[in-house]
Structures are given as structure tokens and as C-alpha cells.
């Protein structure tokens, strides 16, 4: 009789355990897609957010939006697709796509959150609501953001490279103005800017997210045709260059 009671008790415990494990498994398997949106928002200091999400946490899509809290404005970037899987060394690994093109890998390990192989291309016109200088000068062209590795822990470390290609301005008589390279040190916030040699408007300088002022010069053969445009750049320095306040 005692053995029978023990068997019955064990069967009940086993049944309860199976039910609980199955319930947790179903919950994890069907975690909603907005959970990923919350993670992205938190780790980007609410600058990036996901809207109109579909699918679930493990395999879904959503509209990635960038937000400028100073201007209280946002702009849609890309329709993001993702695939997420659990692992051992990498506790969670996520692969992001635009269409079928991979644009970033993200994984969580014992060091923190890692962001690898970022390669995103956008039109600058998508960002005109987020920057007064883009809007006022009618800036157009392409922007390419590349990052080999970022570690997001108590402090973000790594480098972000941004290439602004074939930049034009609606208020310039001659276009394109040039191509420009920006590098951002994620740990210090230092920004360095330089232009390619064939740029009509040469830009160089350094700064940080709190303020970026560039030194600008026009190639001599274009100065006459761009006389009206350069008046918008500000007062020239004694050597003929211009101090351009980006932000």
C-alpha cells in the first residue's frame, strides 16, 4: 500500500513537472516581438525603437525608427527582420536583415551585449527631420554605417565608421559637394571628420556629440561659382576657410 501511494505521488509530481516545463517552454517559444523592441530601446538609450512588429521574439520583423529627443522628432530607417536563437557560449544570438541582406549580428555572452558586422546604408533624406542642417541646406546623398565590433556593457567600447557619399545641397550651384568620412569612438564620444581629395567642399575637424565644428574650404577653381553658397557657411577666417557648426 505504501509503495502504491509512493508511486501515485511520484506520478503526480512527474505530471506536474512535465506540465510546468511544457508551460514555460510554450511561453518562451511564443514570447512576443515587442520584447526585442524593448531591448533595442533600452540599449540605445531610447534612440532606436521598433514599431509595427510582426512574428515573435525569435523570428519576426518591425520598422526600425530613430528618435531625436532634443527635437522630439523621429524618422523611419528600415524594415528590420531578425532571427534569434539560444546557445551556450553565446547565451542568445540574433541576426538582423533588411530583405535578405544581413546588416548586423548581436549576441549576449559573459562580457555583455556584442554588436558585430554592422553594415547599414540609408538615404540622408530619411534623416532630414532629425537635423536642422540637413533640412536647411537641403542635403542629399547616401550614408553608410559600418561597425566591426561594439561591446555594450557598463561602458560602450568600439568604433563606428560613417561614410557620407556624394553629398549634395539644394542651395549649392555645383554638386555633388564631396564624400566625407566620420569615425566615432564609442567609449569617449570623440568624432573625427575628413573628406576625400576630390571633394569640392573640403571638411575636416573633430568634436563630440555635445558639439562638432568643422573647418571648411572650397577648391579654388569652384570659389566663384559657389560664392553665394559659401556665404551660408559663415564668416571666413583670415586664411579663407570657414568654421561650420554642425551641432
Amino acid at each position: 500500500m505504501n509503495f502504491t501511494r509512493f508511486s501515485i505521488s511520484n506520478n503526480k509530481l512527474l505530471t506536474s513537472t512535465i506540465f510546468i516545463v511544457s508551460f514555460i517552454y510554450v511561453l518562451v517559444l511564443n514570447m512576443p516581438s515587442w520584447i526585442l523592441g524593448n531591448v533595442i530601446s533600452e540599449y540605445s538609450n531610447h534612440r532606436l525603437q521598433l514599431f509595427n512588429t510582426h512574428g515573435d521574439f525569435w523570428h519576426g520583423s518591425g520598422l526600425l525608427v530613430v528618435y531625436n529627443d532634443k527635437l522630439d522628432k523621429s524618422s523611419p530607417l528600415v524594415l528590420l527582420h531578425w532571427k534569434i536563437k539560444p546557445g551556450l557560449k553565446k547565451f542568445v544570438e540574433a541576426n538582423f536583415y533588411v530583405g535578405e541582406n544581413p546588416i548586423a549580428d548581436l549576441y549576449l555572452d559573459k562580457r555583455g551585449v556584442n554588436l558585430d558586422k554592422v553594415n547599414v546604408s540609408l538615404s540622408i533624406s530619411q534623416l532630414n527631420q532629425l537635423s536642422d542642417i540637413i533640412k536647411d541646406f537641403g542635403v542629399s546623398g547616401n550614408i553608410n554605417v559600418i561597425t566591426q565590433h561594439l561591446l555594450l556593457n557598463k561602458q560602450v567600447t568600439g568604433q563606428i565608421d560613417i561614410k557620407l557619399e556624394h553629398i549634395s545641397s539644394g542651395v549649392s550651384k555645383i554638386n555633388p559637394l564631396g564624400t566625407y568620412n566620420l569615425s566615432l569612438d564609442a567609449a569617449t564620444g570623440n568624432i573625427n571628420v575628413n573628406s576625400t581629395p576630390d571633394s569640392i567642399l573640403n571638411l575636416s575637424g573633430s568634436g563630440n556629440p555635445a558639439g562638432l565644428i568643422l573647418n571648411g574650404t572650397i577648391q579654388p577653381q569652384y570659389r566663384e561659382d559657389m560664392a553665394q553658397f559659401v556665404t551660408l557657411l559663415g564668416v571666413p577666417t583670415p586664411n579663407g576657410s570657414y568654421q561650420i557648426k554642425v551641432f
Side-chain angles (χ1 to χ4, degrees):
M1 178 67 74
N2 289 338
F3 177 77
T4 302
R5 289 179 179 177
F6 179 76
S7 297
I8 293 174
S9 177
N10 273 358
N11 286 336
K12 288 182 178 179
L13 179 61
L14 180 61
T15 301
S16 299
T17 301
I18 292 174
F19 174 78
I20 292 172
V21 171
S22 299
F23 180 72
I24 294 174
Y25 175 78
V26 170
L27 284 180
V28 171
L29 190 65
N30 293 282
M31 286 194 301
S33 55
W34 57 259
I35 293 179
L36 179 62
N38 287 354
V39 173
I40 291 175
S41 177
E42 181 66 26
Y43 276 96
S44 67
N45 290 322
H46 309 292
R47 294 187 182 94
L48 295 174
Q49 299 184 28
L50 275 178
F51 290 93
N52 302 326
T53 57
H54 298 278
D56 54 43
F57 176 81
W58 304 104
H59 190 183
S61 64
L63 182 63
L64 185 65
V65 174
V66 61
Y67 181 72
N68 186 324
D69 55 350
K70 292 182 179 180
L71 298 177
D72 195 25
K73 292 184 179 180
S74 61
S75 180
L77 296 180
V78 295
L79 180 58
L80 193 66
H81 298 263
W82 67 82
K83 296 178 182 178
I84 300 177
K85 58 183 180 182
L88 297 176
K89 186 176 181 181
K90 297 178 180 179
F91 307 140
V92 177
E93 182 176 7
N95 306 116
F96 296 97
Y97 305 83
V98 172
E100 296 182 355
N101 299 318
I103 63 166
D105 296 333
L106 184 147
Y107 61 92
L108 175 65
D109 62 13
K110 61 182 180 180
R111 297 179 301 168
V113 177
N114 300 265
L115 185 61
D116 289 356
K117 301 177 182 177
V118 175
N119 192 340
V120 181
S121 294
L122 303 166
S123 169
I124 290 181
S125 60
Q126 293 178 250
L127 308 176
N128 62 358
Q129 295 298 321
L130 304 178
S131 170
D132 290 335
I133 194 169
I134 293 176
K135 190 174 182 180
D136 295 342
F137 281 79
V139 179
S140 61
N142 299 313
I143 178 172
N144 182 228
V145 181
I146 297 175
T147 295
Q148 293 302 315
H149 178 76
L150 285 180
L151 175 62
L152 293 76
N153 203 326
K154 293 181 179 179
Q155 183 180 22
V156 182
T157 58
Q159 180 172 305
I160 302 171
D161 295 311
I162 302 173
K163 188 173 186 178
L164 305 174
E165 297 181 290
H166 311 302
I167 301 303
S168 297
S169 170
V171 296
S172 175
K173 185 177 180 180
I174 298 178
N175 284 301
L177 298 174
T179 294
Y180 308 96
N181 299 302
L182 291 79
S183 62
L184 169 64
D185 188 312
T188 63
N190 291 336
I191 302 172
N192 290 295
V193 180
N194 62 74
S195 53
T196 57
D198 59 343
S199 298
I200 295 174
L201 172 61
N202 295 304
L203 296 175
S204 62
S206 60
N208 54 60
L212 177 61
I213 298 177
L214 302 179
N215 182 67
T217 59
I218 303 292
Q219 288 193 17
Q221 64 269 36
Y222 296 103
R223 287 175 183 170
E224 184 177 348
D225 290 331
M226 299 187 68
Q228 183 177 358
F229 174 77
V230 297
T231 60
L232 301 174
L233 301 181
V235 179
T237 62
N239 64 6
S241 63
Y242 296 82
Q243 295 294 311
I244 305 170
K245 183 177 181 180
V246 180
F247 48 79

